[in-house]
Amino acid sequence: MPQVVPVTRLAVEVGAGLVIFNMIKEEKGSPWMEKRFQEIRRIFSEAQSMAAAAGLIVSIPDHVGSQRLRTPQVKRTSGSFCDRPWLELFIRYDGEAQVCNMLNPFSYGQLTPPGAKQGIEQRFHILWSGPNARLFRRLINSEHPHPYCKKCYNLYG
């Protein structure tokens, strides 16, 4: 967090047009974010004020941990509403078809399973509209999304 204001200052000095700040989800959660929410909000607000005065756009996520940020330049995240499962599919190096580019471990299945009789295009359509995809899409914006999706920091726009 101590880098946010200096990076914003540098972006102003070099005439950058946009700076994107984001949060990192830690494997075992991020209790430090919850504890330091007020400090994080203050730092982001300071960076946004500096940027606004210089005509620089600063994008930050709309939440820190489970708490909402309500400042002028927040960007909606997939943690608030996710449309990725209808728009993208992430294919891992081993052919595993996953739901998004945030490396969610939920799998639609193997795009190229050993001994598959279908071609890749047919297999893609099977996975894209199959039971795993339908289940994931049904739950993603409900009260019971995949645990990995809770508090997601994928930024829109």
Side-chain angles (χ1 to χ4, degrees), residues 74-99:
V74 296
K75 294 292 182 191
R76 186 174 63 131
T77 64
S78 292
S80 302
F81 176 84
C82 186
D83 65 356
R84 301 294 88 191
W86 289 270
L87 299 174
E88 66 182 56
L89 184 69
F90 181 80
I91 308 297
R92 287 184 358 171
Y93 69 94
D94 60 358
E96 192 75 30
Q98 293 176 300
V99 300

Side-chain angles (χ1 to χ4, degrees), residues 42 47 68:
R42 181 189 53 75
R68 286 277 186 240

Side-chain angles (χ1 to χ4, degrees), residues 23-134:
M23 305 301 288
I24 302 294
K25 281 179 62 174
E26 296 169 309
E27 187 176 331
K28 302 212 186 295
S30 306
W32 68 272
M33 284 190 233
E34 303 288 338
K35 291 177 187 167
R36 295 177 62 193
F37 177 77
Q38 295 301 331
E39 176 189 1
I40 293 168
R41 186 173 71 182
R42 181 189 53 75
I43 290 170
F44 278 147
S45 291
E46 183 179 343
Q48 288 176 323
S49 294
M50 179 189 307
L56 172 69
I57 297 170
V58 174
S59 295
I60 61 172
D62 62 1
H63 66 98
V64 172
S66 63
Q67 298 184 60
R68 286 277 186 240
L69 273 176
R70 301 201 192 287
T71 60
Q73 294 180 341
V74 296
K75 294 292 182 191
R76 186 174 63 131
T77 64
S78 292
S80 302
F81 176 84
C82 186
D83 65 356
R84 301 294 88 191
W86 289 270
L87 299 174
E88 66 182 56
L89 184 69
F90 181 80
I91 308 297
R92 287 184 358 171
Y93 69 94
D94 60 358
E96 192 75 30
Q98 293 176 300
V99 300
C100 72
N101 67 7
M102 297 301 284
L103 305 178
N104 184 314
F106 186 86
S107 175
Y108 291 159
Q110 282 284 328
L111 184 60
T112 54
K117 295 187 177 22
Q118 303 100 350
I120 287 180
E121 186 174 333
Q122 184 181 7
R123 182 76 181 148
F124 171 86
H125 290 293
I126 290 169
L127 294 178
W128 184 253
S129 60
N132 286 356
R134 288 192 311 271

Side-chain angles (χ1 to χ4, degrees), residues 119-150:
I120 287 180
E121 186 174 333
Q122 184 181 7
R123 182 76 181 148
F124 171 86
H125 290 293
I126 290 169
L127 294 178
W128 184 253
S129 60
N132 286 356
R134 288 192 311 271
L135 173 66
F136 194 87
R137 290 176 186 134
R138 189 175 79 235
L139 295 176
I140 186 65
N141 294 311
S142 76
E143 294 295 317
H144 307 288
H146 188 278
Y148 191 87
C149 299
K150 292 179 180 179

